[in-house]
Amino acid sequence: MEKYDLAIIGAGPIGLFAASFANLHGLKTISFDALDEVGGQINMLYPQKEIKDVPAFSSIKGKKLVSNLLKQNTKTNFLLSHKVKNISFSDDNSILIDNAYQVKSLLIATGLGAFKPKTLPSAINANEKSHIHYSMQHPEVFANKKVAILGGGDSALDWALELSTTSDVFLIHRRNEFRGLESSVTKLKSLKNVELLTPYLPKDLHLIDNKMELVLHKVGNSDEFITKDIDEILVAYGFKSDNRQLRKWGIKLENNLISVSQQMHTNLPNVYAVGDAITYPGRVPMIALGFGEAQIAISSIMQNLFPEKTMIFHSTSI
Ligand SMILES: Cc1cc2nc3c(=O)[nH]c(=O)nc-3n(C[C@H](O)[C@H](O)[C@H](O)COP(=O)(O)OP(=O)(O)OC[C@H]3O[C@@H](n4cnc5c(N)ncnc54)[C@H](O)[C@@H]3O)c2cc1C
């Protein structure tokens, strides 16, 4: 049985920062994530976005923020592609995770839950699958190609803008209106290498000689179809998140989010929670706010584990 002071479930931005702050306090920490890479929503949804509201950076690319957070984690043991399914409590109040890891404290930083992309409903064979993508983690795959982006929300618009610098883009949405910034739509409409196709839905896909034909059906008009030659498809239909296990673990939820005290403590002994997984009056889903919650949680955990220690936050007082 592996033993740790602290386990963190979720290696999104908030779990990553919590782990590095735990490193600073000398806590032996293990961090789990269901995905095969750290970075949570940033990595999956907007690695190329210039984030402008993280303190001390006038602007920082999502990907860079995640790699900076990872660099601060010199001592964390990361266990990726591991979705935590079970937690149970021993008589000494230690916590068993998936019956293999024994920890003194647990920090839940699972965001809205383990997420999976909403996939294309049409039947797709294995060859075609290799041309269908659900994230922009590797933008180089699309460079100098014809790319169909499916969807009408923020991610579809951001990805279309990003790829318009390197590729020919078809942005395909089932409605005439997009659910995102009007300025992004105006900008996309002005670009020669971007075609907005609305209201269309993908109907069929053929892969012939490594070239794909995407057949589109005009919504509301049963016999109007158009065909586009494309190289890659980027699906931006959003993600399904699953945090059902929280209920199973006995954690008190409010509107499917975890209720916490001001110390980020849940209703269970030695179990804390931070980031988009939690709720309290006035909370907003922002990275900087989650970083502060991580500091509160780790400080509470330190005080709980080592009550005899005086927590020194700064050696000089004012
Ligand atoms: C398109 C978009 C743009 C955004 N832009 C900004 C912005 O500019 N500025 C800003 O401040 N915020 C922004 N946000 C919000 C920000 O991304 C979130 O507030 C932040 O990601 C929350 O971090 P988190 O670590 O709490 O959760 P997440 O990033 O959701 O990470 C949670 C992690 O937990 C893992 N997980 C879940 N369940 C389990 C399990 N059972 N076992 C193992 N692992 C599990 C998941 O796989 C995931 O990696 C944006 C969000 C979106 C969608």
Side-chain angles (χ1 to χ4, degrees), residues 2 4 10 47 59 95 147 178 285:
E2 288 186 39
Y4 291 87
S59 175
I95 302 159
V147 184
F178 288 88

Side-chain angles (χ1 to χ4, degrees), residues 16 41 80 121 123 127 132 142 149 154 156 162 169 221 252 269 271 274 289 310:
L16 280 174
Q41 290 175 45
L80 301 179
N127 284 342
I132 297 174
F142 306 102
I149 298 180
D154 273 330
E162 175 69 28
V169 174
N221 197 339
K252 187 175 164 216
V271 180
V274 286
L289 179 63
T310 311

Side-chain angles (χ1 to χ4, degrees), residues 33-92:
D33 204 291
L35 299 172
D36 60 0
E37 286 182 48
V38 301
Q41 290 175 45
I42 302 184
N43 203 41
M44 290 297 286
L45 301 176
Y46 58 101
Q48 306 301 325
K49 180 177 173 181
E50 289 292 339
I51 302 173
K52 296 184 192 299
D53 44 20
V54 171
F57 294 104
S58 57
S59 175
I60 182 165
K61 236 186 222 315
K63 213 173 166 174
K64 177 75 180 146
L65 181 67
V66 170
S67 82
N68 284 359
L69 286 165
L70 190 57
K71 264 192 224 149
Q72 284 184 301
N73 272 283
T74 47
K75 296 185 187 135
T76 309
N77 182 12
F78 285 102
L79 212 56
L80 301 179
S81 304
H82 182 121
K83 182 176 174 186
V84 173
K85 296 207 171 74
N86 291 304
I87 67 166
S88 55
F89 293 84
S90 307
D91 291 342
D92 62 356

